[in-house]
């Protein structure tokens, strides 16, 4: 694969804005995500918006060079973490996980719409239909991982005192103007102060607790396919949603939980596909 040709033959239509929030440990998975995005959206322009707290200038320069070779444009915004000192963080949930909640405040006011993507994702089909989705009165669109019986949803309703579906925050279409008007740091910090010890997935719990009723549901098997649940999807669809269906119809594969497909032992059904993209990336760019 010739890296010089990766970003060529692009259309000149409206660019899709994609938001990512990572620390230095997730730069390599981020590159796999962006590579998969480019490989399966070859005639689509993208602006990649990176919110970070402490990635080095050297690493950012290398990432910008990589993104440019994909034919994308990278915008880097460093977030002041002083206001987030009270937020609960854990090894597997770094401070960057909160940035998506207030991204409207960090991103330029001229930016109206963005797709947020976690770094543990492959994009395997065109993503523009999601970007063009009408949100009507909703502030965001996201998917719920319902499982086979929905018992996890019931547990989250009891735990958080909510009634709507519990949405996964790893893939979200965002109306930034609505978010700027509705989402405030004081509200988020108030939940953290009062209920911080109860938060299992802190930013996702806050998203659902404060804003769940303003989220448009997306079909998970297309827009946020939890790769741990392939048997669940197969059973719920009476055998329709098999691997062939996924390759043809699913847009976003989300490698939720542990181990990740780039880690030793990360061998769920779709880990081999992830490792295939890693290998293609290696042949195109090296380490």
């Amino acid at each position: 694969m010739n890296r010089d040709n990766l970003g060529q033959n692009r259309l000149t239509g409206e660019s899709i804005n994609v938001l990512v929030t990572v620390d230095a440990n997730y730069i390599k998975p981020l590159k796999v995500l962006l590579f998969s995005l480019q490989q399966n959206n070859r005639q689509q322009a993208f602006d990649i918006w990176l919110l970070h707290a402490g990635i080095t200038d050297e690493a950012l320069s290398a990432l910008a060079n990589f993104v440019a070779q994909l034919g994308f444009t990278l915008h880097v915004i460093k977030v002041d973490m002083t206001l987030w000192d009270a937020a609960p963080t854990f090894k597997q949930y770094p401070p960057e996980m909160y940035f998506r909640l207030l991204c409207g405040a960090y991103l330029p006011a001229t930016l109206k719409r963005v797709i947020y993507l976690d770094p543990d994702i492959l994009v395997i089909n065109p993503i523009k239909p999601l970007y063009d989705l009408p949100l009507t009165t909703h502030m965001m669109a996201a998917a719920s991982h319902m499982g086979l019986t929905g018992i996890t949803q019931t547990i989250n309703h009891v735990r958080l005192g909510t009634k709507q579906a519990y949405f996964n925050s790893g893939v979200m279409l965002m109306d930034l103007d609505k978010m700027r008007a509705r989402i405030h740091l004081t509200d988020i910090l108030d939940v953290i102060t009062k209920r911080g010890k109860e938060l299992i997935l802190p930013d996702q719990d806050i998203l659902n607790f404060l804003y769940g009723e303003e989220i448009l549901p997306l079909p998970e098997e297309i827009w946020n396919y939890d790769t741990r649940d392939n048997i669940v999807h197969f059973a719920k669809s009476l055998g329709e949603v098999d691997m062939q269906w996924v390759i043809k119809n699913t847009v976003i594969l989300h490698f939720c939980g542990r181990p990740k497909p780039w880690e030793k032992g990360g061998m769920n059904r779709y880990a081999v596909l992830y490792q295939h993209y890693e290998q293609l990336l290696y042949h195109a760019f090296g380490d």
Side-chain angles (χ1 to χ4, degrees):
M1 186 181 298
N2 186 345
R3 72 174 69 179
D4 294 330
N5 296 327
L6 282 171
Q8 295 180 2
N9 302 318
R10 317 196 68 75
L11 293 179
T12 57
E14 179 188 9
S15 181
I16 291 177
N17 294 296
V18 173
L19 171 66
V20 292
T21 62
V22 300
D23 61 18
N25 295 320
Y26 272 83
I27 287 180
K28 187 171 182 179
L30 173 60
K31 291 170 70 174
V32 177
L33 160 62
L34 296 178
F35 181 72
S36 73
L37 185 67
Q38 190 274 338
Q39 289 290 288
N40 296 296
N41 295 266
R42 284 183 176 270
Q43 294 183 312
Q44 177 62 57
F46 287 91
D47 280 84
I48 310 301
W49 297 85
L50 169 63
L51 299 180
H52 78 102
I55 301 175
T56 66
D57 290 342
E58 181 181 8
L60 289 172
S61 178
L63 180 62
N65 180 61
F66 167 77
V67 171
Q69 289 183 75
L70 293 179
F72 300 167
T73 302
L74 180 67
H75 309 268
V76 177
I77 299 174
K78 187 173 183 179
V79 176
D80 181 1
M81 286 302 299
T82 304
L83 295 176
W84 291 105
D85 287 343
T89 59
F90 309 95
K91 182 178 180 181
Q92 66 270 41
Y93 304 118
E96 284 78 5
M97 68 184 175
Y98 290 106
F99 295 170
R100 71 194 104 174
L101 293 174
L102 278 170
C103 65
Y106 302 135
L107 296 171
T110 53
L111 206 62
K112 305 299 182 182
R113 173 171 286 220
V114 70
I115 296 175
Y116 170 80
L117 296 175
D118 271 353
D120 55 347
I121 275 174
L122 286 180
V123 178
I124 62 172
N125 277 303
I127 201 170
K128 193 172 189 297
L130 176 60
Y131 196 69
D132 292 341
L133 180 72
L135 284 173
T136 61
T137 61
H138 296 89
M139 183 168 62
M140 306 176 193
S144 299
H145 293 156
M146 298 299 294
L148 191 59
T149 64
I151 190 171
T152 301
Q153 295 282 325
T154 301
I155 291 171
N156 285 321
H157 290 164
V158 173
R159 186 170 61 85
L160 298 174
T162 55
K163 296 180 179 179
Q164 75 282 345
Y166 183 86
F167 294 99
N168 181 272
S169 60
V171 178
M172 294 183 288
L173 173 66
M174 299 173 161
D175 182 319
L176 294 174
D177 281 343
K178 288 188 177 72
M179 292 177 67
R180 291 178 182 115
R182 177 73 179 87
I183 298 179
H184 305 291
L185 176 62
T186 53
D187 295 333
I188 295 170
L189 292 179
D190 185 59
V191 174
I192 292 172
T193 299
K194 294 178 178 178
R195 309 190 63 162
K197 294 181 180 179
E198 304 170 29
L199 303 179
I200 297 175
L201 300 174
D203 74 309
Q204 190 165 278
D205 283 352
I206 292 170
L207 172 75
N208 283 275
F209 180 73
L210 289 177
Y211 314 113
E213 294 182 352
E214 301 174 58
I215 299 176
L216 177 70
L218 295 173
E220 60 175 318
E221 66 275 9
I222 296 176
W223 296 113
N224 193 340
Y225 185 105
D226 187 340
T227 60
R228 300 170 300 181
D229 289 344
N230 61 289
I231 295 176
V232 170
H233 290 298
F234 183 82
K236 288 174 65 176
S237 66
L238 301 179
E240 180 184 2
V241 181
D242 57 10
M243 183 168 282
Q244 288 182 327
W245 188 98
V246 168
I247 296 301
K248 182 178 180 180
N249 296 283
T250 295
V251 177
I252 294 172
L253 291 175
H254 192 180
F255 293 85
C256 303
R258 297 282 181 175
K260 297 299 185 186
W262 59 85
E263 297 174 331
K264 185 176 181 179
M267 290 301 294
N268 72 31
R269 188 180 182 98
Y270 293 95
V272 171
L273 180 59
Y274 187 93
Q275 291 159 11
H276 173 65
Y277 276 93
E278 281 188 309
Q279 190 69 8
L280 290 176
L281 179 62
Y282 173 77
H283 284 308
F285 293 94
D287 286 334

